[in-house]
Amino acid sequence: MEYSKYLKSFVIGSSFPVFFTFFIGFHKLKKKEYSYFNYSLIAPLWFGLWNIISLSIAEYFKLSTRTRFLLISLITYSIIITYNTYNKVYNFTDKEWYIYYLGMLITYFLYQNLLTIVQHI
């Protein structure tokens, strides 16, 4: 097994250009019940690990890079919004939750496109 591609995948997934938009968005949230410090430690690990998982899935099912990142963006988006909603990570009104869901969806698709570009460098 070639471990260097998984290490590369982790480094790319946890790199600053990938999670920067998430950090900015989280920092600007006023009604969060979660510390920025904890988020800044967990987010890069989350993205790095999911990038490795997506690589493994893509290799197993022979997915294109675009399909790989589209699929993993939908999976991770679903996990995050479900977790955050269920655990009331944010103190939002119903309208704010809908705005959050839309914003996260847009951000995850930007993330997906950025990873597609960076992976080919």
Side-chain angles (χ1 to χ4, degrees):
M1 182 180 280
E2 185 182 323
Y3 293 106
S4 64
K5 67 181 172 184
Y6 295 104
L7 177 61
K8 177 184 174 187
S9 186
F10 180 82
V11 170
I12 290 170
S14 63
S15 67
F16 183 75
V18 171
F19 65 75
F20 176 72
T21 55
F22 291 92
F23 274 20
I24 296 298
F26 185 81
H27 182 68
K28 289 184 178 204
L29 289 175
K30 303 287 187 236
K31 298 180 174 184
K32 56 186 172 257
E33 302 294 325
Y34 195 75
S35 79
Y36 185 74
F37 177 78
N38 289 343
Y39 184 82
S40 66
L41 293 176
I42 293 170
L45 295 174
W46 169 264
F47 291 123
L49 290 174
W50 275 103
N51 204 31
I52 291 171
I53 292 167
S54 73
L55 176 60
S56 299
I57 292 169
E59 288 177 341
Y60 183 80
F61 291 106
K62 299 179 182 11
L63 302 175
S64 69
T65 303
R66 171 71 69 190
T67 303
R68 167 190 170 190
F69 290 121
L70 176 62
L71 176 67
I72 213 65
S73 291
L74 291 172
I75 291 170
T76 55
Y77 165 77
S78 298
I79 291 169
I80 286 295
I81 66 165
T82 301
Y83 177 86
N84 289 346
T85 303
Y86 181 76
N87 291 297
K88 298 182 184 351
V89 172
Y90 306 110
N91 186 19
F92 289 159
T93 64
D94 287 344
K95 181 180 179 182
E96 289 170 325
W97 276 112
Y98 295 127
I99 292 169
Y100 168 76
Y101 299 146
L102 180 61
M104 286 297 286
L105 185 63
I106 291 167
T107 305
Y108 266 87
F109 278 102
L110 290 173
Y111 162 73
Q112 175 251 329
N113 282 300
L114 179 61
L115 279 175
T116 301
I117 293 166
V118 171
Q119 206 72 28
H120 287 292
I121 295 176

